[in-house]
Amino acid sequence: MKKQVYKIEIPEKAIKQTHFGEDESLALNVAHKQIMVRPANLLEQLPRIKFWWYFVPAVILTLALFAMAQHLKLTTVPIIGDYSIANGSLLMSLISGLLVFIVTAIITKIHKNGPAQDFYWRSLITITVACGLIIVFSFSAFFWLFEQLFMDARFDLYTSTMFILLIISAVNYIMINLALTLSPGIVTNLLTIMIIGGMLFSMLTNSDRNWWKHNFSFLGTAQNSANLQFNVTLIFSGLLMMALVDYLFVNLQKKYNNRRVLILRLLLYAQAACIAAIGFSPNNPRFHVLHDRISMWLVYIMLILIVAIRWILPHVRKQFLDVSYIIGGLMGFNYIVFKLSDYLSLTAFELLEFGLAMSWILLLFQNIESLAQYGENFFLIQIKKDQSNEE
């Protein structure tokens, strides 16, 4: 008897959503007790990034910097400073990286040949600005560390130019690849990096090292020299969260198009709007009352989401419900401890609440993403023995 073979009947509607041709050879992979079927020529399915897409823009901008350095008669260039490797590479990487990202994303969406096609056009500006902020945060941290390792180091003009060329090329490549593979998971990571990176950047660069003795909102006030970074981070974190909600609910509402899912979407929009509004109304005397009101709305919406998630999220898992109630309980416990004792300072209380809330929001997005991945792409099939293969 020959080895037993099993067959799977794939619905025609499912085949139409792929590029599989009749009698085409496919590759089957088994991982974590799951079967994955992909084209045999998998490498050809990966994003193709041509060398000149990222290198030519880098060369043009690097030559412009080199010409400016020649005009200023610079013979050596410091790592950090007014005319430095850090400033030159940051400025040119920001211009070049965002430009190639926008162009690639637009082409991908127009031709409908990548994950970015499901994003709304209005999300492009938000995602682009978020990427720009992450570039700024990353460069600031990288060159600060580089400066600590090589204190007062300077390089000749040609070596500095090569460094800048390589940095711009690398950023261009990353941004093109990001545009070609944009997905909810990537946007969630961008949101996490931007919020955490923006907060840490504001903490490290603020003028008052004792900011933590005031409160968390102090980072956004006029008393902090880095208040602009903090507030801009909050504004675009809220907008990026809206873009993520847009993307996720495009597919989710194709299958679960009911009032409960709409309520969930509106609550998440309201949550994102509150985050952005806090950045627009920092805790200065002029906006103090409004800042506190919006912060309380943020908390109320969070509590409503945790309590109502059992009814407004389709097919919610018991494990997620348990985690939700534990996080909600911890937030309530922290509030009681803060109000009834001096154990927690205002800053510690705010940081704990922010950490718990952010963790829960990310878990919620993961659950919504899992549901959204199905939508109209979910098909029931059966595995059957191939009787014709038996002797």
Side-chain angles (χ1 to χ4, degrees), residues 20-49:
F20 298 162
E22 191 174 349
D23 297 326
E24 179 180 349
S25 296
L26 302 175
L28 185 147
N29 177 51
V30 179
H32 306 294
K33 298 183 179 180
Q34 295 180 345
I35 294 177
M36 302 291 293
V37 179
R38 294 188 175 98
N41 53 345
L42 181 59
L43 292 178
E44 295 183 9
Q45 306 299 317
L46 299 176
R48 294 183 179 182
I49 303 177

PDB file of all heavy atoms in Angstrom, residues 20-49:
ATOM      1  N   PHE A  20      -2.524  32.154  -7.040  1.00  0.00           N
ATOM      2  CA  PHE A  20      -2.223  30.775  -7.391  1.00  0.00           C
ATOM      3  C   PHE A  20      -2.848  30.439  -8.742  1.00  0.00           C
ATOM      4  O   PHE A  20      -4.017  30.739  -8.984  1.00  0.00           O
ATOM      5  CB  PHE A  20      -2.761  29.802  -6.335  1.00  0.00           C
ATOM      6  CG  PHE A  20      -2.166  29.981  -4.963  1.00  0.00           C
ATOM      7  CD1 PHE A  20      -2.791  29.453  -3.836  1.00  0.00           C
ATOM      8  CD2 PHE A  20      -0.973  30.664  -4.795  1.00  0.00           C
ATOM      9  CE1 PHE A  20      -2.242  29.614  -2.578  1.00  0.00           C
ATOM     10  CE2 PHE A  20      -0.410  30.829  -3.535  1.00  0.00           C
ATOM     11  CZ  PHE A  20      -1.055  30.307  -2.427  1.00  0.00           C
ATOM     12  N   GLY A  21      -2.069  29.810  -9.597  1.00  0.00           N
ATOM     13  CA  GLY A  21      -2.583  29.365 -10.887  1.00  0.00           C
ATOM     14  C   GLY A  21      -2.919  27.882 -10.858  1.00  0.00           C
ATOM     15  O   GLY A  21      -2.507  27.146  -9.951  1.00  0.00           O
ATOM     16  N   GLU A  22      -3.665  27.418 -11.841  1.00  0.00           N
ATOM     17  CA  GLU A  22      -4.038  26.005 -11.910  1.00  0.00           C
ATOM     18  C   GLU A  22      -2.802  25.144 -12.138  1.00  0.00           C
ATOM     19  O   GLU A  22      -1.935  25.487 -12.951  1.00  0.00           O
ATOM     20  CB  GLU A  22      -5.047  25.795 -13.052  1.00  0.00           C
ATOM     21  CG  GLU A  22      -5.685  24.418 -13.038  1.00  0.00           C
ATOM     22  CD  GLU A  22      -6.781  24.296 -14.085  1.00  0.00           C
ATOM     23  OE1 GLU A  22      -7.158  25.337 -14.655  1.00  0.00           O
ATOM     24  OE2 GLU A  22      -7.245  23.174 -14.319  1.00  0.00           O
ATOM     25  N   ASP A  23      -2.697  24.047 -11.399  1.00  0.00           N
ATOM     26  CA  ASP A  23      -1.560  23.112 -11.482  1.00  0.00           C
ATOM     27  C   ASP A  23      -0.245  23.751 -11.029  1.00  0.00           C
ATOM     28  O   ASP A  23       0.837  23.253 -11.345  1.00  0.00           O
ATOM     29  CB  ASP A  23      -1.396  22.566 -12.912  1.00  0.00           C
ATOM     30  CG  ASP A  23      -2.607  21.753 -13.348  1.00  0.00           C
ATOM     31  OD1 ASP A  23      -3.215  21.084 -12.492  1.00  0.00           O
ATOM     32  OD2 ASP A  23      -2.929  21.798 -14.555  1.00  0.00           O
ATOM     33  N   GLU A  24      -0.330  24.849 -10.301  1.00  0.00           N
ATOM     34  CA  GLU A  24       0.901  25.491  -9.796  1.00  0.00           C
ATOM     35  C   GLU A  24       1.441  24.712  -8.603  1.00  0.00           C
ATOM     36  O   GLU A  24       0.685  24.233  -7.752  1.00  0.00           O
ATOM     37  CB  GLU A  24       0.616  26.935  -9.380  1.00  0.00           C
ATOM     38  CG  GLU A  24       1.835  27.663  -8.816  1.00  0.00           C
ATOM     39  CD  GLU A  24       1.536  29.099  -8.409  1.00  0.00           C
ATOM     40  OE1 GLU A  24       0.441  29.598  -8.764  1.00  0.00           O
ATOM     41  OE2 GLU A  24       2.377  29.713  -7.745  1.00  0.00           O
ATOM     42  N   SER A  25       2.756  24.572  -8.521  1.00  0.00           N
ATOM     43  CA  SER A  25       3.395  23.884  -7.393  1.00  0.00           C
ATOM     44  C   SER A  25       3.461  24.828  -6.202  1.00  0.00           C
ATOM     45  O   SER A  25       3.919  25.970  -6.324  1.00  0.00           O
ATOM     46  CB  SER A  25       4.804  23.428  -7.775  1.00  0.00           C
ATOM     47  OG  SER A  25       4.755  22.477  -8.815  1.00  0.00           O
ATOM     48  N   LEU A  26       3.005  24.348  -5.047  1.00  0.00           N
ATOM     49  CA  LEU A  26       2.994  25.148  -3.831  1.00  0.00           C
ATOM     50  C   LEU A  26       3.862  24.481  -2.775  1.00  0.00           C
ATOM     51  O   LEU A  26       4.111  23.274  -2.817  1.00  0.00           O
ATOM     52  CB  LEU A  26       1.566  25.306  -3.305  1.00  0.00           C
ATOM     53  CG  LEU A  26       0.553  25.954  -4.264  1.00  0.00           C
ATOM     54  CD1 LEU A  26      -0.837  25.927  -3.652  1.00  0.00           C
ATOM     55  CD2 LEU A  26       0.964  27.373  -4.597  1.00  0.00           C
ATOM     56  N   ALA A  27       4.314  25.281  -1.822  1.00  0.00           N
ATOM     57  CA  ALA A  27       5.138  24.771  -0.720  1.00  0.00           C
ATOM     58  C   ALA A  27       4.294  24.718   0.546  1.00  0.00           C
ATOM     59  O   ALA A  27       3.603  25.681   0.878  1.00  0.00           O
ATOM     60  CB  ALA A  27       6.357  25.661  -0.514  1.00  0.00           C
ATOM     61  N   LEU A  28       4.343  23.575   1.240  1.00  0.00           N
ATOM     62  CA  LEU A  28       3.584  23.401   2.470  1.00  0.00           C
ATOM     63  C   LEU A  28       4.547  23.360   3.644  1.00  0.00           C
ATOM     64  O   LEU A  28       5.542  22.631   3.625  1.00  0.00           O
ATOM     65  CB  LEU A  28       2.757  22.116   2.402  1.00  0.00           C
ATOM     66  CG  LEU A  28       1.804  21.828   3.572  1.00  0.00           C
ATOM     67  CD1 LEU A  28       0.563  21.095   3.083  1.00  0.00           C
ATOM     68  CD2 LEU A  28       2.491  20.977   4.655  1.00  0.00           C
ATOM     69  N   ASN A  29       4.229  24.156   4.668  1.00  0.00           N
ATOM     70  CA  ASN A  29       5.082  24.227   5.855  1.00  0.00           C
ATOM     71  C   ASN A  29       4.235  23.970   7.094  1.00  0.00           C
ATOM     72  O   ASN A  29       3.122  24.486   7.217  1.00  0.00           O
ATOM     73  CB  ASN A  29       5.739  25.608   5.946  1.00  0.00           C
ATOM     74  CG  ASN A  29       6.586  25.742   7.202  1.00  0.00           C
ATOM     75  OD1 ASN A  29       7.431  24.893   7.473  1.00  0.00           O
ATOM     76  ND2 ASN A  29       6.365  26.795   7.958  1.00  0.00           N
ATOM     77  N   VAL A  30       4.742  23.102   8.008  1.00  0.00           N
ATOM     78  CA  VAL A  30       4.047  22.809   9.258  1.00  0.00           C
ATOM     79  C   VAL A  30       4.827  23.437  10.404  1.00  0.00           C
ATOM     80  O   VAL A  30       6.009  23.154  10.593  1.00  0.00           O
ATOM     81  CB  VAL A  30       3.912  21.285   9.480  1.00  0.00           C
ATOM     82  CG1 VAL A  30       3.208  21.014  10.808  1.00  0.00           C
ATOM     83  CG2 VAL A  30       3.157  20.640   8.335  1.00  0.00           C
ATOM     84  N   ALA A  31       4.168  24.327  11.154  1.00  0.00           N
ATOM     85  CA  ALA A  31       4.816  24.993  12.292  1.00  0.00           C
ATOM     86  C   ALA A  31       3.775  25.233  13.374  1.00  0.00           C
ATOM     87  O   ALA A  31       2.676  25.723  13.091  1.00  0.00           O
ATOM     88  CB  ALA A  31       5.437  26.316  11.845  1.00  0.00           C
ATOM     89  N   HIS A  32       4.114  24.863  14.602  1.00  0.00           N
ATOM     90  CA  HIS A  32       3.223  25.051  15.746  1.00  0.00           C
ATOM     91  C   HIS A  32       1.848  24.419  15.498  1.00  0.00           C
ATOM     92  O   HIS A  32       0.803  25.017  15.772  1.00  0.00           O
ATOM     93  CB  HIS A  32       3.064  26.543  16.063  1.00  0.00           C
ATOM     94  CG  HIS A  32       4.357  27.261  16.267  1.00  0.00           C
ATOM     95  ND1 HIS A  32       5.200  27.001  17.329  1.00  0.00           N
ATOM     96  CD2 HIS A  32       4.978  28.225  15.522  1.00  0.00           C
ATOM     97  CE1 HIS A  32       6.269  27.773  17.247  1.00  0.00           C
ATOM     98  NE2 HIS A  32       6.166  28.517  16.155  1.00  0.00           N
ATOM     99  N   LYS A  33       1.880  23.189  14.925  1.00  0.00           N
ATOM    100  CA  LYS A  33       0.665  22.416  14.655  1.00  0.00           C
ATOM    101  C   LYS A  33      -0.275  23.117  13.683  1.00  0.00           C
ATOM    102  O   LYS A  33      -1.484  22.870  13.673  1.00  0.00           O
ATOM    103  CB  LYS A  33      -0.067  22.105  15.968  1.00  0.00           C
ATOM    104  CG  LYS A  33       0.748  21.254  16.936  1.00  0.00           C
ATOM    105  CD  LYS A  33      -0.045  20.923  18.185  1.00  0.00           C
ATOM    106  CE  LYS A  33       0.777  20.049  19.141  1.00  0.00           C
ATOM    107  NZ  LYS A  33       0.017  19.709  20.360  1.00  0.00           N
ATOM    108  N   GLN A  34       0.278  23.999  12.856  1.00  0.00           N
ATOM    109  CA  GLN A  34      -0.503  24.687  11.844  1.00  0.00           C
ATOM    110  C   GLN A  34       0.101  24.449  10.469  1.00  0.00           C
ATOM    111  O   GLN A  34       1.329  24.305  10.338  1.00  0.00           O
ATOM    112  CB  GLN A  34      -0.561  26.197  12.117  1.00  0.00           C
ATOM    113  CG  GLN A  34      -1.298  26.556  13.403  1.00  0.00           C
ATOM    114  CD  GLN A  34      -1.337  28.051  13.631  1.00  0.00           C
ATOM    115  OE1 GLN A  34      -0.600  28.800  13.007  1.00  0.00           O
ATOM    116  NE2 GLN A  34      -2.208  28.493  14.524  1.00  0.00           N
ATOM    117  N   ILE A  35      -0.756  24.401   9.462  1.00  0.00           N
ATOM    118  CA  ILE A  35      -0.297  24.196   8.089  1.00  0.00           C
ATOM    119  C   ILE A  35      -0.306  25.531   7.354  1.00  0.00           C
ATOM    120  O   ILE A  35      -1.317  26.240   7.352  1.00  0.00           O
ATOM    121  CB  ILE A  35      -1.212  23.188   7.347  1.00  0.00           C
ATOM    122  CG1 ILE A  35      -1.075  21.800   7.975  1.00  0.00           C
ATOM    123  CG2 ILE A  35      -0.880  23.139   5.866  1.00  0.00           C
ATOM    124  CD1 ILE A  35      -2.005  20.773   7.352  1.00  0.00           C
ATOM    125  N   MET A  36       0.815  25.872   6.744  1.00  0.00           N
ATOM    126  CA  MET A  36       0.933  27.091   5.944  1.00  0.00           C
ATOM    127  C   MET A  36       1.241  26.690   4.503  1.00  0.00           C
ATOM    128  O   MET A  36       2.153  25.895   4.255  1.00  0.00           O
ATOM    129  CB  MET A  36       2.060  27.982   6.479  1.00  0.00           C
ATOM    130  CG  MET A  36       1.906  28.396   7.934  1.00  0.00           C
ATOM    131  SD  MET A  36       0.538  29.547   8.182  1.00  0.00           S
ATOM    132  CE  MET A  36       1.171  30.969   7.305  1.00  0.00           C
ATOM    133  N   VAL A  37       0.469  27.215   3.565  1.00  0.00           N
ATOM    134  CA  VAL A  37       0.684  26.941   2.150  1.00  0.00           C
ATOM    135  C   VAL A  37       1.097  28.239   1.468  1.00  0.00           C
ATOM    136  O   VAL A  37       0.388  29.246   1.538  1.00  0.00           O
ATOM    137  CB  VAL A  37      -0.592  26.381   1.489  1.00  0.00           C
ATOM    138  CG1 VAL A  37      -0.349  26.138   0.010  1.00  0.00           C
ATOM    139  CG2 VAL A  37      -1.017  25.095   2.174  1.00  0.00           C
ATOM    140  N   ARG A  38       2.261  28.199   0.823  1.00  0.00           N
ATOM    141  CA  ARG A  38       2.801  29.382   0.168  1.00  0.00           C
ATOM    142  C   ARG A  38       3.287  29.008  -1.230  1.00  0.00           C
ATOM    143  O   ARG A  38       3.472  27.827  -1.530  1.00  0.00           O
ATOM    144  CB  ARG A  38       3.990  29.945   0.959  1.00  0.00           C
ATOM    145  CG  ARG A  38       3.644  30.496   2.342  1.00  0.00           C
ATOM    146  CD  ARG A  38       4.859  31.186   2.919  1.00  0.00           C
ATOM    147  NE  ARG A  38       4.587  31.840   4.176  1.00  0.00           N
ATOM    148  CZ  ARG A  38       4.859  31.325   5.357  1.00  0.00           C
ATOM    149  NH1 ARG A  38       5.402  30.126   5.425  1.00  0.00           N
ATOM    150  NH2 ARG A  38       4.600  31.988   6.462  1.00  0.00           N
ATOM    151  N   PRO A  39       3.521  30.004  -2.080  1.00  0.00           N
ATOM    152  CA  PRO A  39       4.120  29.711  -3.390  1.00  0.00           C
ATOM    153  C   PRO A  39       5.471  29.049  -3.224  1.00  0.00           C
ATOM    154  O   PRO A  39       6.215  29.362  -2.279  1.00  0.00           O
ATOM    155  CB  PRO A  39       4.249  31.091  -4.048  1.00  0.00           C
ATOM    156  CG  PRO A  39       3.234  31.941  -3.348  1.00  0.00           C
ATOM    157  CD  PRO A  39       3.174  31.430  -1.939  1.00  0.00           C
ATOM    158  N   ALA A  40       5.816  28.135  -4.104  1.00  0.00           N
ATOM    159  CA  ALA A  40       7.102  27.439  -4.022  1.00  0.00           C
ATOM    160  C   ALA A  40       8.262  28.416  -4.185  1.00  0.00           C
ATOM    161  O   ALA A  40       9.303  28.278  -3.551  1.00  0.00           O
ATOM    162  CB  ALA A  40       7.174  26.340  -5.084  1.00  0.00           C
ATOM    163  N   ASN A  41       8.083  29.413  -5.056  1.00  0.00           N
ATOM    164  CA  ASN A  41       9.126  30.424  -5.258  1.00  0.00           C
ATOM    165  C   ASN A  41       8.909  31.570  -4.273  1.00  0.00           C
ATOM    166  O   ASN A  41       8.627  32.715  -4.655  1.00  0.00           O
ATOM    167  CB  ASN A  41       9.110  30.950  -6.698  1.00  0.00           C
ATOM    168  CG  ASN A  41       7.733  31.432  -7.120  1.00  0.00           C
ATOM    169  OD1 ASN A  41       6.745  31.134  -6.460  1.00  0.00           O
ATOM    170  ND2 ASN A  41       7.676  32.186  -8.199  1.00  0.00           N
ATOM    171  N   LEU A  42       9.029  31.241  -2.981  1.00  0.00           N
ATOM    172  CA  LEU A  42       8.709  32.191  -1.921  1.00  0.00           C
ATOM    173  C   LEU A  42       9.564  33.444  -1.994  1.00  0.00           C
ATOM    174  O   LEU A  42       9.103  34.549  -1.714  1.00  0.00           O
ATOM    175  CB  LEU A  42       8.878  31.518  -0.551  1.00  0.00           C
ATOM    176  CG  LEU A  42       8.550  32.371   0.683  1.00  0.00           C
ATOM    177  CD1 LEU A  42       7.106  32.842   0.622  1.00  0.00           C
ATOM    178  CD2 LEU A  42       8.833  31.601   1.955  1.00  0.00           C
ATOM    179  N   LEU A  43      10.834  33.311  -2.372  1.00  0.00           N
ATOM    180  CA  LEU A  43      11.723  34.468  -2.422  1.00  0.00           C
ATOM    181  C   LEU A  43      11.210  35.530  -3.386  1.00  0.00           C
ATOM    182  O   LEU A  43      11.407  36.730  -3.179  1.00  0.00           O
ATOM    183  CB  LEU A  43      13.145  34.038  -2.820  1.00  0.00           C
ATOM    184  CG  LEU A  43      13.893  33.188  -1.789  1.00  0.00           C
ATOM    185  CD1 LEU A  43      15.254  32.791  -2.337  1.00  0.00           C
ATOM    186  CD2 LEU A  43      14.064  33.938  -0.477  1.00  0.00           C
ATOM    187  N   GLU A  44      10.536  35.072  -4.433  1.00  0.00           N
ATOM    188  CA  GLU A  44      10.007  36.027  -5.405  1.00  0.00           C
ATOM    189  C   GLU A  44       8.799  36.777  -4.861  1.00  0.00           C
ATOM    190  O   GLU A  44       8.405  37.804  -5.412  1.00  0.00           O
ATOM    191  CB  GLU A  44       9.632  35.295  -6.697  1.00  0.00           C
ATOM    192  CG  GLU A  44      10.829  34.685  -7.429  1.00  0.00           C
ATOM    193  CD  GLU A  44      10.421  34.034  -8.736  1.00  0.00           C
ATOM    194  OE1 GLU A  44       9.242  34.214  -9.137  1.00  0.00           O
ATOM    195  OE2 GLU A  44      11.258  33.365  -9.356  1.00  0.00           O
ATOM    196  N   GLN A  45       8.208  36.271  -3.791  1.00  0.00           N
ATOM    197  CA  GLN A  45       7.049  36.935  -3.204  1.00  0.00           C
ATOM    198  C   GLN A  45       7.444  38.012  -2.202  1.00  0.00           C
ATOM    199  O   GLN A  45       6.618  38.829  -1.812  1.00  0.00           O
ATOM    200  CB  GLN A  45       6.155  35.895  -2.496  1.00  0.00           C
ATOM    201  CG  GLN A  45       5.742  34.723  -3.370  1.00  0.00           C
ATOM    202  CD  GLN A  45       4.931  35.155  -4.564  1.00  0.00           C
ATOM    203  OE1 GLN A  45       4.050  36.004  -4.442  1.00  0.00           O
ATOM    204  NE2 GLN A  45       5.234  34.584  -5.725  1.00  0.00           N
ATOM    205  N   LEU A  46       8.704  37.999  -1.762  1.00  0.00           N
ATOM    206  CA  LEU A  46       9.178  38.990  -0.807  1.00  0.00           C
ATOM    207  C   LEU A  46       9.341  40.338  -1.486  1.00  0.00           C
ATOM    208  O   LEU A  46       9.527  40.423  -2.692  1.00  0.00           O
ATOM    209  CB  LEU A  46      10.517  38.541  -0.201  1.00  0.00           C
ATOM    210  CG  LEU A  46      10.485  37.220   0.580  1.00  0.00           C
ATOM    211  CD1 LEU A  46      11.889  36.850   1.036  1.00  0.00           C
ATOM    212  CD2 LEU A  46       9.550  37.317   1.766  1.00  0.00           C
ATOM    213  N   PRO A  47       9.237  41.444  -0.713  1.00  0.00           N
ATOM    214  CA  PRO A  47       9.381  42.770  -1.311  1.00  0.00           C
ATOM    215  C   PRO A  47      10.725  42.918  -2.032  1.00  0.00           C
ATOM    216  O   PRO A  47      11.775  42.601  -1.471  1.00  0.00           O
ATOM    217  CB  PRO A  47       9.309  43.707  -0.086  1.00  0.00           C
ATOM    218  CG  PRO A  47       8.580  42.939   0.946  1.00  0.00           C
ATOM    219  CD  PRO A  47       8.958  41.500   0.727  1.00  0.00           C
ATOM    220  N   ARG A  48      10.669  43.386  -3.265  1.00  0.00           N
ATOM    221  CA  ARG A  48      11.883  43.612  -4.043  1.00  0.00           C
ATOM    222  C   ARG A  48      12.251  45.080  -3.966  1.00  0.00           C
ATOM    223  O   ARG A  48      11.511  45.944  -4.437  1.00  0.00           O
ATOM    224  CB  ARG A  48      11.668  43.196  -5.502  1.00  0.00           C
ATOM    225  CG  ARG A  48      11.454  41.709  -5.692  1.00  0.00           C
ATOM    226  CD  ARG A  48      11.314  41.385  -7.165  1.00  0.00           C
ATOM    227  NE  ARG A  48      11.139  39.954  -7.386  1.00  0.00           N
ATOM    228  CZ  ARG A  48      11.022  39.406  -8.596  1.00  0.00           C
ATOM    229  NH1 ARG A  48      11.055  40.186  -9.672  1.00  0.00           N
ATOM    230  NH2 ARG A  48      10.863  38.115  -8.734  1.00  0.00           N
ATOM    231  N   ILE A  49      13.380  45.360  -3.363  1.00  0.00           N
ATOM    232  CA  ILE A  49      13.834  46.735  -3.208  1.00  0.00           C
ATOM    233  C   ILE A  49      15.088  46.907  -4.055  1.00  0.00           C
ATOM    234  O   ILE A  49      16.150  46.357  -3.736  1.00  0.00           O
ATOM    235  CB  ILE A  49      14.142  47.062  -1.729  1.00  0.00           C
ATOM    236  CG1 ILE A  49      12.891  46.805  -0.876  1.00  0.00           C
ATOM    237  CG2 ILE A  49      14.596  48.502  -1.585  1.00  0.00           C
ATOM    238  CD1 ILE A  49      13.106  47.019   0.604  1.00  0.00           C
TER     239      ILE A  49
END
